[in-house]
Each structure stands twice: as structure tokens, then as C-alpha cells.
């Protein structure tokens, strides 16, 4: 059920938009690494490290988004632990929960899927 008072609560947060734009940022970083280092042993070692760093960054961003939404007055936003299953899962669950509560919130997940 949608609450009329919650339709004006800000649900766009900086962390969620960083998550949504991350496929584009990731592409730029990979292109810079490949053009800068070529295909050397250092690049092959750097890729798994980069994936772990990106994964941890997504979890941290989801945690920040969760805290901001709670402080904004959203009761029971999507929990940040959904991001442990990857960023798109968190973004989809977040969009579903926010749409049920406020009637809006699918923007970031649509941007992520468009860029991915």
C-alpha cells in the first residue's frame, strides 16, 4: 500500500546512483588498465583484485544507502545485506520495496541494467 505522505520523501541517494552508474565506471577503468598495461601478468593479477574491491565497494554503498533511507523516514527499506548477492539484486529489491512504500524508485535499477 502506498502512503501519500511518503511520496514526497527523497529516495534518490548518492550511494545508489553511484551503484547504478558503476558499470560505466567499471568499463572506463578496465579500458584504462588494458590500454595502460596491455595484456601483461600484472593485468591478469589486477583483475581479480579489482573484482573484490568492486564487490566490497558495492556492499559499502548499499549500507550507506540503507542508512540514508532509514534516516529519511522510509520504514523498512531493502536491507543492505541483499548487496551480498551482487549490486543488481540489491537494486532490484530496493526498487521493489520502495515502489510498494512510496510509488516510485525504479530509476537506479533501470539505469544499471541499461548500462550493464
Amino acid at each position: 500500500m502506498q502512503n501519500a505522505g511518503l511520496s514526497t520523501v527523497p529516495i534518490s541517494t548518492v550511494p545508489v546512483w553511484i551503484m547504478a552508474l558503476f558499470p560505466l565506471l567499471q568499463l572506463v577503468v578496465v579500458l584504462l588498465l588494458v590500454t595502460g598495461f596491455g595484456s601483461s601478468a600484472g593485468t591478469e593479477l589486477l583483475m581479480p583484485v579489482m573484482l573484490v574491491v568492486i564487490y566490497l565497494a558495492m556492499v559499502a554503498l548499499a549500507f550507506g544507502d540503507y542508512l540514508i533511507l532509514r534516516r529519511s523516514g522510509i520504514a523498512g527499506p531493502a536491507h543492505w545485506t541483499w548487496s551480498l548477492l551482487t549490486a543488481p539484486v540489491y537494486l532490484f529489491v530496493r526498487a521493489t520495496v520502495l515502489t510498494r512504500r512510496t510509488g516510485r524508485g525504479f530509476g537506479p535499477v533501470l539505469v544499471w541494467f541499461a548500462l550493464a
Side-chain angles (χ1 to χ4, degrees):
M1 240 188 262
Q2 181 177 326
N3 186 344
L6 287 177
S7 64
T8 59
V9 172
I11 60 170
S12 283
T13 66
V14 172
V16 79
W17 283 108
I18 293 172
M19 288 176 79
L21 295 172
F22 224 79
L24 183 63
L25 298 172
Q26 198 172 358
L27 174 67
V28 170
V29 169
V30 168
L31 288 175
L32 288 174
L33 287 175
V34 170
T35 58
F37 293 116
S39 59
S40 65
T43 307
E44 292 173 7
L45 181 62
L46 195 56
M47 289 299 184
V49 171
M50 190 174 82
L51 289 175
V52 170
V53 168
I54 289 169
Y55 178 80
L56 294 175
M58 291 297 108
V59 171
L61 288 167
F63 182 72
D65 179 58
Y66 171 77
L67 291 178
I68 292 169
L69 288 175
R70 293 221 21 196
R71 289 183 190 136
S72 295
I74 303 290
H79 203 272
W80 65 270
T81 53
W82 282 104
S83 68
L84 297 174
L85 296 175
T86 68
V89 171
Y90 172 76
L91 290 173
F92 182 77
V93 172
R94 178 191 190 274
T96 305
V97 169
L98 284 178
T99 301
R100 286 184 188 153
R101 288 187 174 52
T102 67
R104 56 202 170 90
F106 261 96
V109 73
L110 293 176
V111 168
W112 192 95
F113 280 112
L115 293 175

